[in-house]
């Protein structure tokens, strides 16, 4: 008798287990058999992916007893569960029990199937993603839910996980398969990265169609489809809205019984309606802490599972550069169609500071209405200053880069956080400005407020107000948005160099009135960088005598 396909193998096991197999499982079964070498299966929580994977692994050994699988999970014990499950399927499946029931050698971490020809490398090695697998060899590397909250808390942890995955590649023999299976837990998900590399991807969400009303302040909303589930809120206050009681449908228009201002999600096309009923989804919704967690675990959107206090998506993007014009004898800075009346620049040097390697500069502009424009977030590199052979002329380094920024944007002042090496930087910067003949104030600031509190107080009010914080496209394309999404006010040590500089620049209250005063010889000592800012000017007024009743 010839070897059977995986769908046939799975059908026999499902019959043995008396499973009522949903369509989504058949879809995954066919995909697993025919997928490309690099593949990603994203499926919602409760899908049963590890159970499915154990049957797939058993089929691989049935089809080829010499097959070698390296199975990795987020930790050893979760990887061992799938390993034991695979052995159980082999011991009880109608097509394998006679051969495999008594012939498997080894424990959950390492075991050999009957027919294995490699004594050095087991049929299955099961280990956590951070375990040492350097000397292993495999025909297939599996990553079952290696992206979990503890592995992706910050960029450092995510980089560590990717390093381990790099080691995994070197264990794969030429032509080996690599499979990633799980749900996303962060905005820069590993699964998105694999997809961008050309991986064969199958994504099975809980609901095929979704529409979100962020704040239901009206009673009627036009929807792109007729919903089967309507869920309101998240956490303990969440509930499933009942048709005929909480809402009615007029065609594709949702008519609410009352405008509560709550978040409302509308869904249709349930992947497994027999198992995940409206009552079940209401219960799960009530026990889910954040809407990001819900979106990532059930709809497979790449989001961090924690609440994003500083959501970069709330910043308004723009791509224009400032221009300077003269009106009524006064220089004016324009950003698109608005007049800029103030600017702040914050430099947070990194050298000499523990757990920091980014020397960040942030520039914020402000218009007449008080809106802020986060115009630049720049990383300064190299030594603080590089000097010519004379030992005096500054020809490079961080201060040289900063002076270039000051000159290009005509900045009136730079504030330096004087912690660490920052205490020596003001004098060097002043020398560089004088060398370039630029008039720009240099202020020093010693931060005493707790950093997380300082960041939150500066950024959150603007982000939660409509159109109050804008960001240049160069900022949005840089590292700041990722730091904002990752940032957690409850965590003390986390990457926040760019965010800290941005918060410092945002919170500064620049002086808006300044008059350039020439020395006794009548010749200014440099170019007034802030001559574009409005001043009170000189006016003549006439007073009438009399009394006011």
């Amino acid at each position: 008798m010839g070897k059977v396909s995986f769908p046939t193998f799975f059908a026999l096991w499902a019959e043995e287990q008396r499973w009522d197999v949903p369509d989504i499982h058949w879809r995954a079964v066919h995909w697993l058999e025919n997928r490309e070498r690099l593949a990603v299966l994203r499926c919602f929580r409760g899908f049963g992916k590890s159970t499915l994977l154990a049957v797939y692994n058993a089929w691989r050994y049935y089809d080829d007893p010499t097959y070698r699988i390296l199975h990795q999970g987020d930790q050893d014990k979760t990887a061992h569960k799938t390993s034991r499950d695979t052995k159980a399927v082999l011991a009880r499946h109608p097509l394998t029990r006679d051969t495999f029931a008594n012939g498997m050698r080894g424990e959950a971490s390492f075991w050999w199937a009957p027919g294995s020809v490699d004594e050095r490398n087991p049929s299955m090695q099961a280990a956590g993603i951070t375990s040492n697998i350097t000397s292993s060899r495999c025909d297939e590397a599996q990553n079952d839910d290696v992206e979990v909250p503890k592995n992706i808390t910050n960029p450092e942890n995510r980089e560590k996980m990717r390093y381990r995955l790099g080691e995994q590649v070197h264990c794969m023999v030429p032509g080996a398969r690599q499979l990633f299976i799980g749900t996303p837990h962060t905005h820069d998900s590993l699964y998105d990265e694999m997809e961008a590399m050309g991986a064969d991807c199958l994504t099975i969400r809980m609901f095929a169609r979704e529409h979100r009303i962020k704040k239901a302040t009206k009673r009627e909303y036009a929807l792109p489809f007729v919903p089967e589930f309507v869920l309101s809120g998240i956490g303990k206050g969440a509930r499933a809205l009942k048709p005929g009681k909480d809402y009615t449908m007029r065609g594709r228009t949702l008519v609410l019984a009352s405008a509560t201002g709550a978040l409302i999600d509308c869904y249709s096309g349930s992947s497994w309606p027999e198992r995940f009923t409206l009552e079940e989804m209401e219960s799960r919704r009530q026990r889910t802490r954040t809407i990001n967690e819900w979106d990532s675990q059930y709809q497979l959107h790449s989001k961090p599972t924690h609440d994003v206090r500083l959501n970069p998506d709330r910043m308004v993007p723009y791509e224009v550069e400032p221009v300077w014009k003269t009106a009524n004898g006064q220089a004016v800075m324009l950003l698109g169609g608005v007049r800029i009346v103030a600017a702040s620049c914050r430099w947070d040097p990194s050298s000499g500071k523990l757990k920091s390697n980014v020397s960040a500069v942030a520039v914020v502009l402000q218009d007449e209405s008080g809106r802020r424009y986060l115009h630049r977030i720049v990383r300064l590199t190299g030594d603080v200053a590089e000097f010519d052979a004379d030992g005096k002329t500054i020809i490079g380094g961080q201060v040289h880069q900063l002076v270039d920024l000051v000159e290009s944007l005509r900045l009136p002042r730079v504030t330096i956080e004087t912690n660490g090496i920052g205490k020596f930087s003001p004098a060097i910067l002043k020398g560089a400005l004088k060398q370039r003949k630029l008039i720009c104030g240099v202020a020093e600031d010693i931060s005493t407020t707790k950093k997380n509190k300082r960041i939150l107080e500066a950024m959150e009010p603007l982000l939660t107000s409509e159109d109050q914080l804008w960001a240049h496209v160069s900022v949005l394309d840089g590292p700041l948005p990722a730091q904002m999404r990752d940032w957690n006010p409850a965590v003390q040590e986390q990457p926040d160099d760019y965010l800290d500089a941005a918060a410092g620049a945002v919170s500064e209250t620049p002086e808006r009135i300044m008059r350039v005063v020439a020395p006794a010889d009548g010749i200014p000592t440099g170019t007034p960088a802030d001559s574009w800012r409005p001043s009170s000017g000189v006016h003549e007024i006439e007073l009438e005598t009399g009394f006011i009743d």
Side-chain angles (χ1 to χ4, degrees):
M1 177 180 176
K3 297 297 177 88
V4 303
S5 66
F6 179 42
T8 302
F9 187 90
F10 184 83
L12 289 170
W13 179 247
E15 184 179 355
E16 185 84 5
Q17 298 299 303
R18 298 181 181 180
W19 286 347
D20 185 9
V21 182
D23 291 343
I24 53 172
H25 281 182
W26 288 119
R27 185 181 173 194
V29 163
H30 285 282
W31 179 84
L32 278 168
E33 182 182 37
N34 300 295
R35 63 189 170 85
E36 301 294 333
R37 284 176 53 193
L38 176 61
V40 175
L41 174 58
R42 280 176 289 218
C43 41
F44 59 83
R45 292 292 290 272
F47 179 88
K49 59 186 179 341
S50 295
T51 301
L52 197 67
L53 192 58
V55 185
Y56 165 81
N57 290 342
W59 172 71
R60 279 294 178 195
Y61 296 125
Y62 154 80
D63 185 63
D64 180 4
T66 68
Y67 203 69
R68 296 163 299 182
I69 295 175
L70 171 60
H71 179 89
Q72 296 199 266
D74 67 303
Q75 53 186 320
D76 287 349
K77 64 180 182 181
T78 51
H80 293 169
K81 288 171 64 177
T82 300
S83 176
R84 287 192 293 267
D85 199 10
T86 300
K87 293 177 71 176
V89 175
L90 285 169
R92 297 164 54 197
H93 195 284
L95 296 180
T96 59
R97 57 192 173 201
D98 292 340
T99 305
F100 288 84
N102 299 312
M104 289 178 281
R105 297 179 290 116
E107 303 300 327
S109 55
F110 293 89
W111 56 267
W112 285 259
S116 171
V117 295
D118 187 349
E119 286 298 314
R120 184 173 181 274
N121 295 290
S123 298
M124 175 167 282
Q125 177 179 351
I129 192 60
T130 58
S131 297
N132 184 9
I133 47 91
T134 304
S135 63
S136 305
R137 293 294 178 267
C138 65
D139 300 293
E140 179 167 340
Q142 298 176 349
N143 297 283
D144 184 5
D145 259 339
V146 294
E147 182 177 290
V148 294
K150 73 172 186 178
N151 289 347
I152 48 82
T153 306
N154 54 52
E156 183 180 355
N157 286 348
R158 294 198 289 274
E159 182 58 31
K160 183 178 180 181
M161 180 179 66
R162 282 164 169 78
Y163 172 78
R164 291 295 185 180
L165 290 171
E167 286 293 307
Q168 183 183 98
V169 170
H170 304 311
C171 297
M172 297 164 59
V173 300
R177 300 176 175 90
Q178 190 176 29
L179 174 66
F180 294 85
I181 181 169
T183 57
H185 284 79
T186 185
H187 59 88
D188 58 344
S189 173
L190 173 68
Y191 308 121
D192 294 343
E193 184 177 314
M194 294 300 112
E195 185 172 18
M197 291 172 58
D200 181 3
C201 296
L202 175 62
T203 301
I204 302 177
R205 297 182 170 89
M206 177 64 78
F207 300 104
R209 292 173 294 278
E210 59 186 318
H211 181 78
R212 172 162 295 164
I213 302 168
K214 292 183 179 180
K215 187 178 291 187
T217 55
K218 302 184 297 182
R219 288 191 57 205
E220 295 189 10
Y221 289 91
L223 304 180
F225 56 85
V226 176
E228 298 166 8
F229 288 16
V230 179
L231 302 173
S232 173
I234 193 70
K236 62 182 181 181
R239 64 190 185 96
L241 301 188
K242 305 296 190 296
K245 179 183 177 183
D246 300 310
Y247 73 93
T248 56
M249 294 300 301
R250 190 170 63 244
R252 289 188 176 181
T253 299
L254 175 72
V255 182
L256 298 169
S258 60
T260 61
L263 177 147
I264 293 178
D265 280 336
C266 302
Y267 297 110
S268 70
S270 174
S271 291
W272 200 346
E274 301 82 8
R275 184 178 181 88
F276 295 97
T277 63
L278 180 62
E279 292 74 17
E280 174 65 23
M281 296 313 294
E282 180 182 47
S283 175
R284 288 178 178 241
R285 183 98 168 186
Q286 290 169 347
R287 289 176 290 170
T288 302
R289 296 175 301 108
T290 69
I291 198 63
N292 278 357
E293 182 181 353
W294 175 271
D295 287 346
S296 67
Q297 300 305 288
Y298 294 101
Q299 289 305 101
L300 306 180
H301 299 304
S302 296
K303 296 181 177 180
T305 55
H306 64 269
D307 251 335
V308 179
R309 290 290 296 270
L310 305 179
N311 187 356
D313 296 335
R314 294 192 65 85
M315 295 192 293
V316 183
Y318 71 95
E319 57 181 339
V320 296
E321 293 293 335
V323 295
W324 291 267
K325 296 183 178 180
T326 302
N328 298 322
Q330 185 180 23
V332 176
M333 178 192 282
L334 298 175
L335 188 67
V338 300
R339 182 182 181 185
I340 299 301
V341 298
S344 60
C345 177
R346 178 89 171 192
W347 178 24
D348 185 6
S350 67
S351 300
K353 296 172 67 176
L354 295 176
K355 300 183 180 181
S356 177
N357 59 2
V358 175
S359 187
V361 172
V363 175
V364 172
L365 308 177
Q366 187 174 9
D367 68 15
E368 294 174 300
S369 301
R371 287 186 293 260
R372 265 82 163 189
Y373 301 84
L374 192 47
H375 195 68
R376 288 286 187 274
I377 294 285
V378 179
R379 178 179 182 176
L380 305 182
T381 58
D383 295 335
V384 174
E386 297 174 8
F387 294 91
D388 199 359
D390 61 12
K392 298 179 181 179
T393 307
I394 297 174
I395 58 173
Q398 295 186 28
V399 293
H400 195 271
Q401 299 160 36
L402 181 52
V403 170
D404 287 342
L405 186 65
V406 168
E407 186 173 22
S408 65
L409 295 176
R410 305 189 190 183
L411 298 174
R413 183 176 65 172
V414 175
T415 300
I416 304 175
E417 185 174 330
T418 53
N419 302 55
I421 199 162
K423 66 183 66 173
F424 305 106
S425 300
I428 301 173
L429 178 58
K430 289 175 184 178
L433 290 166
K434 183 177 180 181
Q435 178 181 303
R436 197 79 66 90
K437 293 184 169 58
L438 294 175
I439 293 180
C440 175
V442 176
E444 302 177 23
D445 179 41
I446 299 176
S447 298
T448 55
T449 307
K450 289 184 177 180
K451 183 164 57 173
N452 285 5
K453 182 174 184 289
R454 186 172 71 243
I455 290 173
L456 199 61
E457 289 178 348
M459 302 292 286
E460 191 172 42
L462 293 175
L463 290 168
T464 54
S465 303
E466 194 73 23
D467 295 346
Q468 288 303 299
L469 184 58
W470 294 52
H472 193 268
V473 289
S474 65
V475 173
L476 297 176
D477 290 339
L480 179 66
Q483 283 196 355
M484 293 175 69
R485 289 189 177 94
D486 283 333
W487 189 77
N488 186 338
V491 177
Q492 295 303 314
E493 297 294 342
Q494 56 190 321
D496 56 13
D497 305 271
Y498 298 104
L499 182 54
D500 190 21
V506 164
S507 62
E508 290 216 350
T509 306
E511 299 176 21
R512 298 190 184 183
I513 301 174
M514 176 179 173
R515 298 178 63 188
V516 179
V517 180
D521 59 7
I523 303 174
T525 56
T527 304
D530 60 346
S531 59
W532 49 266
R533 293 187 297 176
S535 66
S536 58
V538 179
H539 304 274
E540 288 186 359
I541 59 174
E542 218 174 89
L543 297 176
E544 292 184 359
T545 59
F547 297 93
I548 299 177
D549 294 330

